[in-house]
Amino acid sequence: MKKLLLFSIAPLFIMGEASAQATPTVTVTNATNCTAPCDGSATTNDVSALGGTYLWTDPQAQTTMTATGLCPGTYSVTITIPIIGSATGTGTVVCVAGVNTIATEENISVFPNPAHNEIYISIETHLQGKVDFTIRSILGTVAYKESIDTNGYLYEWVDISALPVGIYDVEFMSENKIIRKKFIKQ
């Protein structure tokens, strides 16, 4: 005779015979400080009463119900409850810096895309003077950074051969404006 187990945990419901096949809920607090040290966070279901454990995919591999200090990116948590099993949920932290606006009207090109060893960036912008140029991984980790001068037009070549395969953001930031474009490193 098979036994059916039913547990109710906050908004997480687990049903099964010997394992759990449910998706944990992940609630994020978006980052207002979007470069390290970032201030985003993600929280999942409280399974501590059942002896549950947590493992986040952030760079610190946090093991608590709430992962803190998160930069913009997508994070997953695996919840494991003894005897019942494991389940994974995902949440995305975005940048919501109050003084910055993210530009979409700028003419920015990143090519080739996808890229292997180098990228070329061409931008026509309203940004003038000193601009911070950064390449970030999808998890917000800075892979490349420099401060450059621009007069409204910029053409930049960047060697990306040492970067791991993945999705990256090219970001230009002045005092009150951010311009972003994604590219894929193959």
Side-chain angles (χ1 to χ4, degrees):
M1 176 195 234
K2 292 184 178 181
K3 292 183 180 177
L4 180 64
L5 303 173
L6 175 63
F7 297 92
S8 175
I9 308 164
L12 172 68
F13 297 97
I14 301 174
M15 291 179 56
E17 294 176 358
S19 66
Q21 297 300 321
T23 302
T25 301
V26 176
T27 305
V28 300
T29 300
N30 291 319
T32 57
N33 187 12
C34 303
T35 58
C38 297
D39 60 356
S41 65
T43 302
T44 190
N45 310 84
D46 184 358
V47 294
S48 57
L50 297 172
T53 59
Y54 312 92
L55 181 58
W56 291 91
T57 59
D58 69 305
Q60 294 80 32
Q62 296 180 56
T63 58
T64 57
M65 186 173 102
T66 300
T68 59
L70 302 178
C71 289
T74 299
Y75 301 92
S76 295
V77 62
T78 299
I79 296 176
T80 303
I81 301 172
I83 302 175
I84 296 174
S86 298
T88 301
T90 302
T92 300
V93 175
V94 297
C95 178
V96 291
V99 297
N100 294 323
T101 57
I102 298 176
T104 56
E105 77 278 358
E106 306 293 335
N107 185 7
I108 182 171
S109 299
V110 178
F111 53 94
N113 193 5
H116 293 282
N117 295 316
E118 68 269 332
I119 57 170
Y120 298 90
I121 301 158
S122 171
I123 184 170
E124 290 180 43
T125 177
H126 296 100
L127 299 179
Q128 300 286 321
K130 280 274 190 224
V131 175
D132 289 328
F133 167 53
T134 308
I135 295 177
R136 290 181 200 284
S137 73
I138 197 162
L139 295 178
T141 305
V142 174
Y144 178 87
K145 185 171 187 169
E146 75 173 291
S147 185
I148 55 177
D149 285 312
T150 181
N151 60 1
Y153 181 79
L154 177 71
Y155 186 79
E156 187 83 11
W157 171 86
V158 181
D159 180 359
I160 60 166
S161 60
L163 294 180
V165 170
I167 300 172
Y168 294 86
D169 276 322
V170 171
E171 176 182 282
F172 294 90
M173 185 178 354
S174 68
E175 288 183 17
N176 62 357
K177 194 171 198 179
I178 299 173
I179 303 168
R180 286 196 183 120
K181 183 84 170 190
K182 290 195 182 309
F183 75 92
I184 298 170
K185 164 69 164 53
Q186 291 185 329

